[in-house]
Amino acid sequence: MKVEPTDQPFGAIVTGVDLSAPLDADIIAAIRASWLEHGVLAFPGQVMDDAALERFTLAMGGFGEDPFFDTVPGSDHVAAILREADEKTPLFAENWHSDWSFLREPPSGTCLVGIDIPPTGGDTLFADQRAAFAALPADKQDHYRSLTAIHSARAAYAPDGAYGEQDEGRSMAIRPGESARETCPHPLVQRHPETGEEALFSCGGYIVGIEGMADEEAFKLLVELLAWQTDERFIYRHRWEAGTLVMWDNRRVLHRATGGYEGHRRELHRTTIAAWKP
Ligand code: SIN
């Protein structure tokens, strides 16, 4: 197996391993170690059906909870990130986020496999929150360490949310629900449970406030912080090819979808990796 850092600020490309074959303990440990080192791993040229994607996800730590999505037929864990060529709905997942950060135990990682990739556009952007935190001045780091953010899925998945009842014509199997209104506090800066490194855990997509702070003040802080978090020097842009599996660490990176492929179909299959248990 060969792991080569990308020519961008972070992320690595992994070749020389067939992820659909049974993986021995040494290879699993080497992949997880590279993932913790680089934050995002891309494995081009894989032949992964849904069963193989499930086996790989189990090997990386087991399945995370996936609220608000139906799975693809024949699988209990694989969801399709899908947009038909003629679809007019707003792009899915265009806001910066860490997957399902509103859960008490958000997934440690996510796997996404390119199935049907448009000839242009549809890149996924990743932002390194370890580097973004490390580059802050010490007084800002201390301030952010003292804050607790309130996460919720309500703006996206409540019946009146962006993917709610008015969201007609979407091909993805999104299932909004009242439970999206629940809130969950998480420290704005978190120590990675496996590497011990601190990172910002703040995402525009799911944070609805900051404990003890007026909404207007919190919104201003979060907008200013997001601009810092997503500065070019912290970004890895992934350009998709069919057969590439990308695996990212939700405790370290934010991500978002991009458009630019109007008139073309885009389909990727996704699993989440369970929260890490020591
Ligand atoms: C996601 O956030 O899971 C999807 C990202 C993408 O479609 O590029």
Side-chain angles (χ1 to χ4, degrees), residues 111-127:
C111 300
L112 196 57
V113 181
I115 309 281
D116 195 2
I117 300 301
T120 173
D123 300 342
T124 305
L125 301 182
F126 296 92

Side-chain angles (χ1 to χ4, degrees), residues 69 81 92-93 97 99 110 112 122-125 240 248 255-258 266 268 270:
F69 281 172
I81 306 294
F92 175 73
H97 63 286
D99 283 324
T110 302
L112 196 57
D123 300 342
T124 305
L125 301 182
W240 286 98
W248 65 85
H255 66 281
R256 76 174 185 89
T258 66
R266 180 176 185 267
L268 304 99
R270 186 181 113 146

Side-chain angles (χ1 to χ4, degrees), residues 60-239:
M60 290 300 118
F63 299 115
E65 186 189 336
D66 271 311
F68 310 120
F69 281 172
D70 269 356
T71 50
V72 297
S75 166
D76 289 335
H77 301 285
V78 176
I81 306 294
L82 172 64
R83 188 175 180 82
E84 295 294 354
D86 58 356
E87 198 163 325
K88 299 284 179 261
T89 58
L91 214 59
F92 175 73
E94 208 181 1
N95 286 336
W96 287 104
H97 63 286
S98 177
D99 283 324
W100 308 142
S101 72
F102 49 83
L103 296 175
R104 306 261 145 218
E105 294 193 329
S108 58
T110 302
C111 300
L112 196 57
V113 181
I115 309 281
D116 195 2
I117 300 301
T120 173
D123 300 342
T124 305
L125 301 182
F126 296 92
D128 185 355
Q129 298 309 294
R130 188 170 93 186
F133 182 71
L136 282 165
D139 59 332
K140 288 257 187 203
Q141 289 184 335
D142 283 344
H143 180 48
Y144 294 144
R145 277 191 193 104
S146 73
L147 300 177
T148 299
I150 305 162
H151 295 238
S152 171
R154 69 186 180 214
Y157 297 103
D160 54 355
Y163 307 124
E165 285 153 4
Q166 48 69 41
D167 185 41
E168 285 175 10
R170 191 173 291 281
S171 51
M172 270 182 68
I174 297 179
R175 300 291 172 257
E178 284 297 333
S179 64
R181 298 193 200 285
E182 290 167 12
T183 59
C184 181
H186 289 297
L188 194 67
V189 177
Q190 295 205 357
R191 201 169 277 288
H192 194 292
E194 297 188 71
T195 67
E197 302 264 9
E198 287 183 297
L200 290 159
F201 193 65
S202 172
C203 65
Y206 293 131
I207 292 183
V208 295
I210 293 181
E211 277 185 2
M213 198 180 277
D215 283 350
E216 203 178 321
E217 191 188 346
F219 181 72
K220 193 163 165 280
L221 181 148
L222 291 166
V223 168
E224 187 185 307
L225 179 57
L226 188 63
W228 175 270
Q229 292 174 278
T230 57
D231 187 90
E232 269 309 305
R233 74 197 130 138
F234 310 128
I235 301 291
Y236 166 61
R237 172 181 286 269
H238 182 75
R239 297 186 174 86

